[in-house]
Coordinates of all heavy atoms in Angstrom, one line a residue:
Chain A
D188 N 28.5 23.1 37.4 CA 28.3 24.1 36.1 C 29.3 23.7 35.1 O 30.5 23.6 35.5 CB 28.2 25.5 36.7 CG 29.5 25.7 37.7 OD1 29.9 24.9 38.3 OD2 29.9 26.9 37.8
V189 N 28.9 23.8 33.9 CA 29.7 23.3 32.8 C 29.7 24.4 31.8 O 28.5 24.9 31.5 CB 29.3 22.0 32.3 CG1 30.1 21.6 31.0 CG2 29.5 20.8 33.4
G190 N 30.9 24.6 31.0 CA 30.8 25.6 30.0 C 32.1 25.7 29.4 O 33.2 25.0 29.8
Q191 N 32.3 26.6 28.4 CA 33.7 26.9 27.8 C 34.2 28.3 28.4 O 33.5 29.3 28.2 CB 33.6 27.2 26.3 CG 33.2 25.9 25.5 CD 32.9 26.2 24.0 OE1 31.8 26.6 23.7 NE2 33.9 26.1 23.2
P192 N 35.4 28.2 29.1 CA 35.9 29.3 29.7 C 36.1 30.5 28.8 O 35.9 31.7 29.0 CB 37.1 29.0 30.5 CG 37.4 27.4 30.1 CD 36.2 26.9 29.3
T193 N 36.6 30.2 27.6 CA 36.8 31.1 26.4 C 36.4 30.3 25.1 O 36.3 29.0 25.3 CB 38.1 31.6 26.2 OG1 38.9 30.5 25.7 CG2 38.8 32.1 27.5
P194 N 36.0 30.9 24.1 CA 35.5 30.2 22.9 C 36.6 29.2 22.4 O 36.2 28.2 21.8 CB 35.3 31.3 21.9 CG 35.0 32.4 22.7 CD 35.8 32.3 23.9
D195 N 37.9 29.4 22.7 CA 38.9 28.4 22.4 C 39.1 27.3 23.2 O 39.8 26.3 22.9 CB 40.3 29.2 22.3 CG 40.3 30.4 21.4 OD1 39.4 30.3 20.4 OD2 41.0 31.3 21.6
E196 N 38.5 27.2 24.4 CA 38.7 26.2 25.4 C 37.6 25.2 25.3 O 36.4 25.4 24.8 CB 38.7 26.7 26.8 CG 39.7 27.8 27.1 CD 41.1 27.2 27.3 OE1 41.1 26.0 27.9 OE2 42.1 27.8 26.9
E197 N 37.8 23.9 25.6 CA 36.9 22.9 25.6 C 35.8 23.1 26.6 O 36.2 23.6 27.7 CB 37.5 21.5 25.7 CG 38.2 21.1 24.6 CD 38.8 19.6 24.7 OE1 38.4 19.0 25.7 OE2 39.5 19.2 23.7
S198 N 34.7 22.6 26.4 CA 33.6 22.6 27.6 C 34.2 21.9 28.8 O 34.7 20.7 28.6 CB 32.3 22.0 27.0 OG 31.3 22.2 28.0
Q199 N 34.0 22.3 29.9 CA 34.4 21.7 31.2 C 33.7 22.1 32.4 O 33.1 23.3 32.3 CB 35.8 22.0 31.3 CG 36.2 23.5 31.3 CD 37.7 24.0 31.0 OE1 38.4 24.0 32.1 NE2 38.2 24.0 29.8
P200 N 33.8 21.4 33.3 CA 33.1 22.0 34.6 C 34.0 23.0 35.2 O 35.2 23.1 35.0 CB 33.0 20.8 35.6 CG 34.0 19.8 35.0 CD 34.4 20.2 33.5
Y201 N 33.4 23.9 36.2 CA 34.2 24.8 36.8 C 35.0 24.0 37.9 O 34.4 23.2 38.7 CB 33.2 25.9 37.7 CG 34.2 26.9 38.3 CD1 34.8 27.9 37.6 CD2 34.2 27.0 39.5 CE1 35.6 28.9 38.3 CE2 35.0 28.0 40.3 CZ 35.6 28.9 39.6 OH 36.3 29.8 40.3
L202 N 36.3 24.3 37.9 CA 37.4 23.6 38.7 C 38.3 24.5 39.4 O 38.8 25.4 38.7 CB 38.1 22.7 37.9 CG 37.2 21.3 37.2 CD1 38.0 20.8 36.0 CD2 37.2 20.2 38.4
R203 N 38.4 24.4 40.6 CA 39.5 25.1 41.5 C 40.0 24.2 42.5 O 39.4 23.4 43.0 CB 38.8 26.2 42.0 CG 38.6 27.4 41.3 CD 39.8 28.2 41.0 NE 40.4 28.7 42.3 CZ 41.5 29.5 42.2 NH1 41.9 30.1 41.2 NH2 42.2 29.9 43.4
S204 N 41.3 24.4 42.8 CA 41.9 23.6 43.8 C 42.3 24.5 45.1 O 42.5 25.6 44.9 CB 43.1 22.8 43.3 OG 44.2 23.6 43.0
L205 N 42.6 23.8 46.1 CA 43.2 24.5 47.3 C 44.4 23.6 47.8 O 44.4 22.5 47.7 CB 42.1 24.4 48.5 CG 41.0 25.5 48.4 CD1 40.0 25.2 49.6 CD2 41.5 26.9 48.3
P206 N 45.4 24.3 48.3 CA 46.5 23.6 49.0 C 45.8 22.6 50.3 O 44.8 23.2 50.8 CB 47.3 24.7 49.7 CG 47.0 25.8 48.8 CD 45.6 25.7 48.4
I207 N 46.5 21.7 50.6 CA 45.8 20.6 51.6 C 45.7 21.4 53.0 O 44.6 21.3 53.6 CB 46.9 19.6 51.9 CG1 46.7 18.5 50.8 CG2 46.7 18.9 53.2 CD1 45.7 17.6 50.8
D208 N 46.6 22.4 53.4 CA 46.4 23.0 54.7 C 45.3 23.9 54.6 O 44.5 24.1 55.6 CB 47.8 23.7 54.9 CG 48.1 24.8 54.1 OD1 47.8 24.6 52.9 OD2 48.7 25.8 54.4
V209 N 44.9 24.5 53.5 CA 43.7 25.4 53.5 C 42.5 24.6 53.5 O 41.5 24.8 54.2 CB 43.7 26.3 52.2 CG1 42.4 27.1 52.2 CG2 45.0 27.1 52.3
A210 N 42.4 23.4 52.8 CA 41.3 22.6 52.6 C 41.1 22.0 54.1 O 40.0 21.7 54.6 CB 41.6 21.3 51.8
M211 N 42.2 21.7 55.0 CA 42.1 21.2 56.2 C 41.8 22.2 57.3 O 41.6 21.8 58.5 CB 43.4 20.3 56.6 CG 43.5 19.1 55.7 SD 42.2 17.9 56.3 CE 43.0 17.2 57.8
H212 N 41.8 23.5 57.0 CA 41.6 24.5 57.9 C 40.1 24.3 58.6 O 39.3 24.1 57.9 CB 41.7 25.9 57.3 CG 41.7 26.9 58.3 ND1 40.6 27.3 59.1 CD2 42.7 27.8 58.8 CE1 40.9 28.2 59.9 NE2 42.2 28.7 59.7
P213 N 40.0 24.2 59.9 CA 38.8 24.0 60.5 C 37.6 24.9 60.1 O 36.5 24.6 60.3 CB 39.0 24.2 62.0 CG 40.2 24.7 62.1 CD 41.1 24.4 60.9
D214 N 37.8 26.1 59.6 CA 36.8 27.0 59.1 C 36.5 26.9 57.6 O 35.6 27.8 57.1 CB 37.2 28.4 59.5 CG 37.3 28.7 61.0 OD1 36.6 27.9 61.7 OD2 38.0 29.6 61.4
T215 N 37.2 26.1 56.9 CA 36.9 25.9 55.5 C 35.6 25.1 55.4 O 35.6 23.9 55.9 CB 37.9 25.3 54.7 OG1 39.0 26.2 54.7 CG2 37.5 25.0 53.3
L216 N 34.5 25.6 54.9 CA 33.1 25.1 55.1 C 32.6 24.5 53.9 O 32.8 25.0 52.6 CB 32.2 26.2 55.5 CG 32.0 26.7 56.9 CD1 30.8 27.6 56.9 CD2 32.0 25.5 57.9

Side-chain angles (χ1 to χ4, degrees):
Chain A
D188 50 331
V189 173
Q191 291 173 274
T193 71
D195 298 335
E196 301 282 328
E197 286 185 7
S198 184
Q199 54 192 271
Y201 184 71
L202 288 160
R203 281 280 310 183
S204 71
L205 286 176
I207 284 283
D208 61 327
V209 178
M211 287 293 283
H212 192 287
D214 293 335
T215 297
L216 282 190

